[in-house]
Each structure stands twice: as structure tokens, then as C-alpha cells.
Amino acid sequence: VKAVLKKREYGPKYTQNNFITGVRAINEFCLKSSDLDQLRKIKRRSPHDDTETFTVYLRSDVEAKSLEVWGSPEALARERKRRKEAEIKYRENLFRNQRLLWEYKEFFGNTKPRSSAAAMFFKGPGKVVMVAICINGLNFFFKLLAWVYTGSASMFSEAIHSLADTCNQALLALGISQSARTPDPSHPYGFTNMRYIASLISGVGIFMMGAGLSWYHGIIGLLHPHPIESLLWAYCILAGSLVSEGATLLVAINEIRRSARAKGLSFYQYVVQSRDPSTNVVLLEDAAAVLSVAVAATCMGLTSLTGNPYYDSVGSLGVGTLLGTVSAFLIYTNTEALLGRSIQPEQLQRLTELLESDPVVRAIHDVKATDMGMSKVRFKAEVDFDGRVVTRSYLEKQDIEQLLQEIQQVKTLEELEAFMLKHGENIIDILGAEVDRLEKDLKQRNPDVRHVDLEIL
């Protein structure tokens, strides 16, 4: 007669063996920390890198204790409702107090030390953006004066161009400061993509404000030409603008070269892949500014030589076309980044080889590595683990002679079940530890990999 264990029916919802942390037990079942002292404590492998083990409780024990404390499920539900209302009220008061504190600091002066977000504007992309804001703001002011004095359509386009650059770079500065915020429960992966969002809006702003107004003014100039006053001051301002825009362009080029060299990429690859969207925008805007100054000066020069105002209007159309091209490139590259594109095939191959070379892995399938922006990669793979290697890893940590004695003492089906359940659970824990080890190795050998999801096949 073949002996088999009786099959157990667990039902649609089985939580008898579920574990729950102390924080969840206190919050969800309205208990005190002293209530948990009397319950069974179980040490489990921690999911966090900074702790090796942590204490959990059986959910069934916590539920029984909550009924003992509150008397009935209805009383527990009323207490949960009361605490929820108190939490909402607390948050409302907290928001009100924060608002009052902000107003107090605004009135008496904020003495808080400079934050890390503010320090970002003194180096790297933040420094490039701040330099660009200052220079483009001054350029807009002087170009606007030149347009008022001369009435030149090309000079008007240049003034609008500098205004668009200033506004867009202020938006980039906002994106940089927002991207430095720490992750919260609503945004567990942080706010890094705020740089791409700000750059995308900046590209749209260049198209709408810069290209659109330049085209409009150029068409109006063609339809209703009018004589232009002396262009001497306009040439002087354009020359100064060329020097200042060129200086900002050099700052952006040096920053991109330095970052591209650190990533092992060429200058062109770094720009096209939009690795640093904020610096990219400054680079392209200032490159367009230098070219548009050349276009505007050429067309204004032709107008001065021939006395024909149509050349000046054509210059405005040329500047608008240049800005439209830059905005289209920015919109495309930042949209691609926000969609979650894959990393480079060579980098993905290195990650795959690292996993496949580990003895505990038999094969990996459905590999996905997504660039989350700013050189942060999320890696996901279905892993077929070698059960023999995992089991051997567990046995190497056991006293084999004692284990053999336990096996020899097994006489009944109940004892066999208890033996298998005990060691089966331990082997699952070993498998979990192996997953943690592989994730840690991937992150250590590839600093760009910030989030790893290995799913057991």
C-alpha cells in the first residue's frame, strides 16, 4: 500500500502562516508595543541592506491579540475609523503649521543653512544653467533696447530668442532643484525625471515662444516692410551677444566633455542619448544663439548695404527655423528618455554574463534593463535557479552527522512531514539570500544599476 499525506485545503484566503512586522501590527490592529511583548517573535532575513535580520510576528497571533484587546471586530473597526480621522486632522494641522513657519521665516529671515539642492548650482549642470540664465538675461535686455531703437525684425527675433532662453533655463534650474528631492512613499524611485520633464517643457517653450514669434514677426515684415534706422548699436549689441553666448557655449561643451569621458562615451553619443538633459538644453540653445546671431548680423548687413528691408525679415524667418529645429530635437530626445528606453546592448550583455557565470543560475530569461534617467538603471530578469546548488549551499552550513541522525529517527508520516517542512523552509531562505547576493553583486560591479528585480522562474 502506497502511503501518501492527506491533502490540505487552504481555502481562497489563507493567512494562518503569514508574517507581519511590529509597525504594521500596531498601526493596522490598533495595538501597543507592550501588547506585542507576549506574542511569539520570529527572526527573519531582512529585505534591507543595512540590517541582517528583523523581528516579525504571526498574523494570526496579532489578530487574536487585537480581538482580546478590543473585544470584538466591530470595536476594532470603530477604533480604526477614529484613528484615521485623527490622522487626517493631524495632517491638516501639520500643513497649516508648516505654512505659518514658512511665513514666519519670510518675515524674519530664513536662517536655515544652505541646502544640498542649492549647492547643486555651484558645480556641474547646475553651474552651467545658472551661468546661462545670467548671460541670457543681460542679452535679452540689451537686444530689446536695440530693437526699440532700430525697429529691426532680426533684432526683435534675437531679443525673443534670448527671452525664451532665459525662461527655459530658469525652468531647467527648477527641474534640477526638484530632481534632488529624496524619494517618498508616493514617488519611491525619486524625482530624477524632473530634469527630463523640465527639458521637454523647455523644448516646447522654444518652439512656441522663440520659433513662433520669430516666424510671425518675419512674415509681418515681409507683408508690411518699413525702413530701418541706424543699425550701429544693433551691431555692437550683437557682437557682445556673440561673445557672451560663445562663453556660455564653451562652459556647456566642457561640462559635457567631462561627463562623457567619465561615462566612456563620445561627445556625440552623450548628447544624442540625453544623458544630462539640462546641460544639453544649454548647449543646443547657445549653439543656436551663436548661429542665429550670425544669421541676424548677415541679414541686417544686407539690409544696410541694399536698403531693402526684406533681407531683415528673411533673417527673422531663418532664426525661427533654427529655433524650431533645436526644439524638435529636444522634444524628441527627452520624450525618448521619459518613455524608458533600454540601456546600451554592450552594457546589457555585461550584466547578463555576470548573472549567467554564477553557479547558482542555470539560465536567465526576459531580461529588461531600463534607463531611468541620469545614469540610473533598473534591471529585471526571470532567473532559473539550480536547485541542487542551492540545496548544497544549505547542506554546507549544516552538521551532516546531526542531520543524518534526524533522518534515521523519522518513523512516521507526521515526522517525515515535520522534517521536510523544517528544512524546506530553510532552503527557501537560502534561495532568498542567494537572490540578495546576486542583486548586491550587480549593483557593486555596475554603479549605474540602482534597482534590481530578480524573479524566480
Side-chain angles (χ1 to χ4, degrees):
V1 178
K2 187 177 181 179
V4 294
L5 288 176
K6 181 181 178 181
K7 184 178 179 180
R8 295 189 177 184
E9 297 292 340
Y10 291 102
K13 183 179 180 181
Y14 181 79
T15 59
Q16 191 67 26
N17 293 331
N18 285 15
F19 293 142
I20 187 172
T21 62
V23 174
R24 284 189 61 192
I26 293 174
N27 292 336
E28 296 181 15
F29 293 92
C30 305
L31 297 175
K32 301 177 182 178
S33 57
S34 58
D35 296 330
L36 303 179
D37 294 339
Q38 306 169 5
L39 304 182
R40 288 177 288 180
K41 299 179 179 62
I42 303 168
K43 293 289 185 180
R44 301 297 296 170
R45 180 176 53 85
S46 174
H48 306 291
D49 295 335
D50 54 348
T51 54
E52 295 183 358
T53 61
F54 72 128
T55 302
V56 293
Y57 304 87
L58 279 172
R59 186 183 183 93
S60 56
D61 291 351
V62 174
E63 290 177 347
K65 185 64 178 179
S66 67
L67 291 178
E68 176 186 335
V69 171
W70 296 104
S72 67
E74 292 76 13
L76 176 60
R78 287 194 298 269
E79 178 63 18
R80 284 175 174 169
K81 182 179 179 181
R82 186 191 67 79
R83 293 194 180 189
K84 185 67 176 177
E85 293 173 351
E87 181 182 0
I88 294 174
K89 186 176 181 181
Y90 168 77
R91 290 181 178 178
E92 292 176 350
N93 291 333
L94 180 63
F95 175 78
R96 189 180 301 110
N97 291 335
Q98 288 176 341
R99 179 68 181 178
L100 291 174
L101 180 62
W102 180 81
E103 292 177 353
Y104 172 82
K105 288 179 178 179
E106 286 292 315
F107 183 75
F108 288 101
N110 191 351
T111 58
K112 184 178 179 180
R114 188 181 301 275
S115 64
S116 58
M120 295 177 64
F121 294 105
F122 293 92
K123 60 181 180 180
K127 178 182 177 181
V128 175
V129 170
M130 293 306 297
V131 170
I133 289 175
C134 296
I135 290 179
N136 283 311
L138 291 174
N139 285 341
F140 164 70
F141 176 73
F142 288 113
K143 288 177 182 178
L144 186 65
L145 291 180
W147 169 70
V148 171
Y149 179 71
T150 63
S152 167
S154 295
M155 185 55 67
F156 175 80
S157 296
E158 279 298 302
I160 292 300
H161 185 179
S162 295
L163 175 61
D165 287 351
T166 304
C167 295
N168 290 329
Q169 285 150 9
L171 182 63
L172 293 179
L174 177 63
I176 291 175
S177 65
Q178 291 296 309
S179 67
R181 294 168 59 189
T182 56
D184 57 31
S186 300
H187 306 85
Y189 292 108
F191 298 83
T192 303
N193 281 340
M194 279 301 300
R195 293 197 184 192
Y196 291 97
I197 294 173
S199 300
L200 178 61
I201 298 174
S202 177
V204 175
I206 293 173
F207 184 82
M208 298 295 292
M209 183 185 294
L213 287 176
S214 296
W215 282 329
Y216 171 78
H217 208 71
I219 293 172
I220 293 297
L222 291 175
L223 295 177
H224 306 286
H226 59 85
I228 300 177
E229 302 295 335
S230 173
L231 297 176
L232 177 61
W233 286 106
Y235 290 136
C236 294
I237 291 174
L238 283 178
S241 175
L242 181 64
V243 173
S244 60
E245 297 282 7
T248 311
L249 179 61
L250 288 177
V251 172
I253 289 175
N254 291 333
E255 175 63 24
I256 290 181
R257 281 179 177 171
R258 184 188 63 79
S259 301
R261 195 181 305 114
K263 296 294 180 183
L265 299 173
S266 67
F267 184 91
Y268 174 78
Q269 289 175 326
Y270 193 88
V271 172
V272 171
Q273 294 174 17
S274 192
R275 292 300 186 98
D276 185 353
S278 303
T279 309
N280 261 14
V281 173
V282 175
L283 171 74
L284 295 174
E285 284 184 345
D286 287 336
V290 171
L291 291 176
S292 64
V293 166
V295 170
T298 301
C299 292
M300 289 167 61
L302 290 174
T303 298
S304 297
L305 292 175
T306 63
N308 188 348
Y310 285 109
Y311 289 112
D312 186 60
S313 299
V314 170
S316 181
L317 294 175
V319 172
T321 302
L322 184 61
L323 292 177
T325 304
V326 169
S327 65
F329 179 80
L330 289 175
I331 292 171
Y332 171 75
T333 54
N334 286 286
T335 301
E336 284 289 304
L338 288 172
L339 286 175
R341 61 192 171 193
S342 177
I343 63 175
Q344 294 299 308
E346 298 80 9
Q347 187 180 6
L348 181 60
Q349 182 65 25
R350 288 196 298 268
L351 295 174
T352 303
E353 291 175 354
L354 176 61
L355 279 179
E356 289 179 332
S357 63
D358 196 279
V360 78
V361 176
R362 284 193 292 204
I364 60 174
H365 308 277
D366 192 24
V367 180
K368 294 183 178 69
T370 306
D371 188 349
M372 299 175 61
M374 300 305 298
S375 300
K376 294 182 180 180
V377 176
R378 182 178 181 180
F379 182 84
K380 176 262 178 188
E382 300 272 356
V383 183
D384 184 1
F385 285 91
D386 191 332
R388 291 176 177 269
V389 176
V390 175
T391 304
R392 184 176 295 277
S393 176
Y394 170 68
L395 292 176
E396 289 173 354
K397 297 178 177 63
Q398 305 300 312
D399 186 341
I400 300 298
E401 294 183 357
Q402 182 180 355
L403 191 61
L404 179 61
Q405 292 176 3
E406 291 182 17
I407 295 173
Q408 292 173 346
Q409 292 175 2
V410 173
K411 304 299 182 184
T412 64
L413 291 178
E414 289 76 12
E415 292 176 349
L416 176 62
E417 179 184 14
F419 176 83
M420 294 297 295
L421 291 176
K422 171 187 173 184
H423 292 283
E425 184 175 13
N426 293 338
I427 290 175
I428 294 298
D429 288 341
I430 289 292
L431 178 59
E434 293 292 339
V435 171
D436 290 345
R437 179 181 62 81
L438 290 175
E439 292 179 350
K440 187 177 294 184
D441 287 347
L442 284 173
K443 292 178 181 179
Q444 287 179 346
R445 299 191 186 187
N446 301 271
D448 289 350
V449 178
R450 303 294 180 89
H451 307 282
V452 181
D453 301 318
L454 299 183
E455 301 179 7
I456 301 173
L457 186 63

